[in-house]
Amino acid sequence: MEDRFAFCDVLKRFVDESGYGTGQLAGWTGIPKATLANWVQGRVSKPRNVEDLLKVAAALHLDEAQASHLLCAADYPSVEKLRGGRRGERYQELLARWTASGKRRVPFQAIADLPTFVGREAALRALEEALLRPQHADIYVLHGMGGVGKTTLAAHLAYRLRAHFRDGILWASLSSADTMSILLSFARALGRDVSKHTDVATRSSVVRDILADQRTLIVLDGARSSESVRALLPPSGPSAVLVTTRRQDLGASWGAQRFRIGPFGSGGIESLELFARILGRERVQEEEGQFAELSDLLGHLPLAIAVASCRLAYESNWATGDFLDRLQRECSRLDELTSADRSVRLSFNLSFEALCTEQRRFFAALGTQGGEDFSVQAAAHAADLPLQESADLLRKLFSLSLVQEGRTHRYRLHPLLRDYARERIEEEGVFERAITYYVDFAVAHEGDLYALDLEIGNVVKALEMAHERQMFPELLRGVNALYPCLATGGLYTMAPLHVRRAVEAARKLEDADGLVRALRNQGQIARICGDYEDASEWLRERLELVGELNDQGVGDRCRSAR
């Protein structure tokens, strides 16, 4: 029985030392993940063919002695015997990794380059110029929010620049492998065994010595801490290091050359191109308007566009318009952005779970903001925190790429991150505080079109939330205060809905003064929109109400509303 499990024990040891998972090995070798799992778990004592085993040995970067050990454990001939055997020619390509002298091919550990890669031309030019320098004193950092395609861009660069790094491309996924395993993998890829060095400091020192004169590109993908980066850095010299991270505050990257990677441009060219790569250019051209609207709803986030494209392409009976309708439902938008193992929500989870309890509570409160950007004061009011504490928390969220800088002294939230933040609101009173803040702001700045224009998106969102929560006094006050901005600021297409809701709120509250103003606004906006008959009816009702109030002796109170 022990002999039967000798193969799985040997394979499991090599897999564990590499830091790779069966999913990664499956992607590199073409062998099904389930088959690899059966080998590692001892359900299979001998793979059906030696070719698959050679592919695994190559993917694990085993040297000839290690590869032979794995082959012999599975009751196959060693590399040397396979090379000299009658069927040696059959395995020539696979055996080319190992020669009689034990030399190996130049390592190339990059993940697959996506065939649907689009855009990023300016970033590619700048990165190529930096990475192709003969010497590198600093590292290069790609930073940005989850889902913008940092890893995809790094992989694309690795393929484009492969020929320029004579000693290979080394790749480490920092979120799925520990430092010791990565150092072992790097050394093996370069033909050295550092397994006898059992502490990080010593193994890191030996690997740095190996890399000292090598011209390699080292990609450290998904860095979450400085500790995960520092031990993997080579000496300053011909090797270049490219780090991808969501964090802007990595101590290991101080002084680095940074490249901020954001969503595709709001013009939509790159977003439409990605849709076309997956769905076909003809379909996207025929329905360009709908795909442009989809792009805007998704905030031009590459991951979201890729997921939406795959659902439209590979799920049956999806009309673009139907999917667009589903995405317009804010409460379930993130539910629609999941396909197979890709999910926008799961991508955001990685950032959210790294926050402490206080940071999570504050970030969730930002889901109440609905405009282009928001002020520190608004965030503080919604979260019920002091101004200075809120400012510090916003700076922290900025360093984690969860918020971005907005207009002067303001911050903004990606629309899908805003949906995600709203999902995370658990505390009572958050929505009510945000609504009150923006309604009070509108009342305090009534007639100040400049101030209202700065907050118009947030105030309108607050009015929508007030309607949803039947906060009728706030709804009525807010709409009546905002009306001049709605009527004169080019927003009159949305004004009829809000003034109608204000009239309904005034009737439910039996607020005569508020109803007089709301009816006036409703009549005026109907006239602006060309609905003259309705305008006359509402203005007539208003005059009748004013007359009734005059008869009751309260006319002075209403004259200002005439």
Side-chain angles (χ1 to χ4, degrees):
M1 186 64 70
E2 289 181 0
D3 289 339
R4 182 178 176 223
F5 288 97
F7 165 64
C8 81
D9 291 340
V10 173
L11 177 60
K12 187 175 188 304
R13 176 165 64 85
F14 286 138
V15 171
D16 289 345
E17 289 177 348
S18 73
Y20 298 142
T22 52
Q24 290 171 298
L25 292 174
W28 292 330
T29 62
I31 301 170
K33 181 179 178 181
T35 299
L36 291 168
N38 287 337
W39 294 359
V40 172
Q41 294 166 13
R43 298 192 187 99
V44 175
S45 60
K46 180 177 181 178
R48 292 182 180 179
N49 60 73
V50 72
E51 290 95 334
D52 285 346
L53 208 50
L54 289 170
K55 290 177 183 177
V56 170
L60 292 172
H61 306 291
L62 303 184
D63 62 27
E64 183 170 332
Q66 293 167 328
S68 294
H69 183 37
L70 181 63
L71 289 166
C72 293
D75 199 24
Y76 280 114
S78 66
V79 170
E80 183 179 0
K81 289 181 178 179
L82 286 173
R83 188 187 297 120
R86 289 180 300 172
R87 295 188 295 174
E89 292 184 3
R90 176 179 175 183
Y91 309 130
Q92 184 176 5
E93 184 176 350
L94 290 170
L95 292 170
R97 184 178 188 88
W98 305 280
T99 66
S101 62
K103 293 181 180 179
R104 303 178 306 153
R105 294 183 301 172
V106 172
F108 186 73
Q109 298 180 334
I111 63 172
D113 187 18
L114 286 181
T116 56
F117 184 90
V118 300
R120 308 299 192 193
E121 292 302 326
L124 283 170
R125 287 193 298 270
L127 282 160
E128 286 187 357
E129 180 182 353
L131 293 170
L132 292 179
R133 293 167 185 159
Q135 296 288 312
H136 304 277
D138 301 314
I139 65 176
Y140 307 97
V141 177
L142 304 181
H143 66 86
M145 64 177 284
V148 294
K150 302 179 294 295
T151 300
T152 301
L153 176 56
H156 191 68
L157 272 166
Y159 282 85
R160 284 175 62 143
L161 303 181
R162 181 177 186 177
H164 298 278
F165 289 93
R166 63 173 185 268
D167 297 308
I169 308 289
L170 303 177
W171 185 289
S173 297
L174 302 186
S175 60
S176 60
D178 63 87
T179 303
M180 290 289 281
S181 298
I182 294 169
L183 289 168
L184 184 67
S185 170
F186 283 0
R188 280 184 174 167
L190 296 168
R192 299 283 291 275
D193 182 10
V194 295
S195 58
K196 66 181 180 182
H197 304 290
T198 57
D199 64 276
V200 171
T202 305
R203 187 174 290 186
S204 174
S205 177
V206 173
V207 172
R208 282 199 300 273
D209 184 60
I210 294 170
L211 290 167
D213 298 317
Q214 302 282 320
R215 181 165 175 74
T216 60
L217 172 61
I218 301 171
V219 180
L220 305 179
D221 184 39
R224 300 180 186 179
S225 68
S226 293
E227 291 73 20
S228 67
V229 172
R230 287 194 176 103
L232 302 173
L233 298 178
S236 297
S239 285
V241 179
L242 182 63
V243 177
T244 75
T245 182
R246 301 183 184 193
R247 303 192 60 162
Q248 300 188 54
D249 60 348
L250 282 178
S253 68
W254 289 353
Q257 187 168 343
R258 297 168 178 267
F259 300 84
R260 180 184 174 275
I261 309 301
F264 290 145
S266 58
I269 296 175
E270 293 170 311
S271 299
L272 292 175
E273 180 62 23
L274 181 52
F275 275 122
R277 290 285 182 93
I278 299 174
L279 294 168
R281 197 164 305 281
E282 183 177 350
R283 176 177 178 180
V284 174
Q285 288 176 342
E286 288 177 355
E287 302 175 342
E288 185 173 333
Q290 289 182 321
F291 282 108
E293 193 171 350
L294 269 176
S295 300
D296 289 339
L297 272 176
L298 300 176
H300 301 275
L301 187 69
L303 174 60
I305 292 171
V307 170
S309 299
C310 288
R311 292 201 65 190
L312 288 169
Y314 306 123
E315 295 180 11
S316 62
N317 297 320
W318 266 126
T320 307
D322 292 340
F323 192 67
L324 179 58
D325 289 341
R326 296 276 284 270
L327 285 179
Q328 287 171 334
R329 301 171 195 169
E330 182 181 281
C331 61
S332 60
R333 187 174 296 144
L334 292 178
D335 293 333
E336 305 296 340
L337 297 176
T338 298
S339 179
D341 61 344
R342 293 192 293 180
S343 165
V344 172
R345 183 185 282 111
L346 289 179
S347 176
F348 292 166
N349 280 348
L350 294 175
S351 295
F352 185 77
E353 290 168 359
L355 303 178
C356 68
T357 301
E358 180 187 28
Q359 292 165 345
R360 291 182 181 187
R361 174 185 173 275
F362 181 79
F363 172 73
L366 300 183
T368 59
Q369 310 301 310
E372 175 186 342
D373 53 19
F374 55 89
S375 66
V376 179
Q377 291 86 346
H381 197 93
D384 194 23
L385 290 175
L387 192 64
Q388 188 58 55
E389 186 176 348
S390 297
D392 291 341
L393 285 167
L394 281 167
R395 279 190 282 268
K396 181 61 177 178
L397 294 179
F398 174 78
S399 74
L400 298 174
S401 299
L402 281 168
V403 299
Q404 290 80 43
E405 289 181 328
R407 288 168 288 185
T408 305
H409 304 307
R410 294 169 69 86
Y411 291 88
R412 61 185 177 85
L413 200 62
H414 186 276
L416 295 181
L417 270 174
R418 181 168 60 237
D419 294 339
Y420 180 84
R422 283 171 67 96
E423 289 184 353
R424 293 290 182 169
I425 294 176
E426 298 177 353
E427 181 187 358
E428 293 290 333
V430 177
F431 289 103
E432 290 75 12
R433 288 195 296 269
I435 291 166
T436 300
Y437 175 84
Y438 283 115
V439 169
D440 288 347
F441 181 91
V443 172
H445 295 85
E446 184 175 355
D448 185 349
L449 297 184
Y450 175 80
L452 288 174
D453 183 63
L454 190 66
E455 297 286 8
I456 186 66
N458 291 310
V459 176
V460 169
K461 182 64 179 180
L463 296 177
E464 291 175 354
M465 293 191 297
H467 174 72
E468 292 169 1
R469 286 163 176 73
Q470 298 187 350
M471 294 174 64
F472 298 124
E474 288 77 9
L475 176 62
L476 180 59
R477 286 197 309 125
V479 173
N480 282 343
L482 189 64
Y483 174 75
C485 189
L486 290 173
T488 61
L491 301 173
Y492 58 84
T493 55
M494 68 171 66
L497 173 65
H498 291 289
V499 295
R500 176 175 57 78
R501 288 175 175 174
V503 169
E504 293 171 355
R507 295 189 195 281
K508 289 177 180 178
L509 294 169
E510 297 182 353
D511 182 340
D513 289 351
L515 182 57
V516 167
R517 290 193 65 184
L519 286 171
R520 180 197 63 186
N521 296 340
Q522 193 171 32
Q524 289 181 347
I525 201 65
R527 183 180 298 163
I528 292 172
C529 295
D531 299 327
Y532 300 112
E533 185 175 344
D534 288 343
S536 298
E537 181 63 31
W538 286 318
L539 291 173
R540 181 165 51 251
E541 181 182 353
R542 173 186 173 278
L543 289 174
E544 290 174 357
L545 178 58
V546 170
E548 293 174 5
L549 293 175
N550 285 335
D551 291 342
Q552 296 169 14
V554 293
D556 290 342
R557 191 176 62 186
C558 297
R559 286 193 182 100
S560 62
R562 296 189 182 187

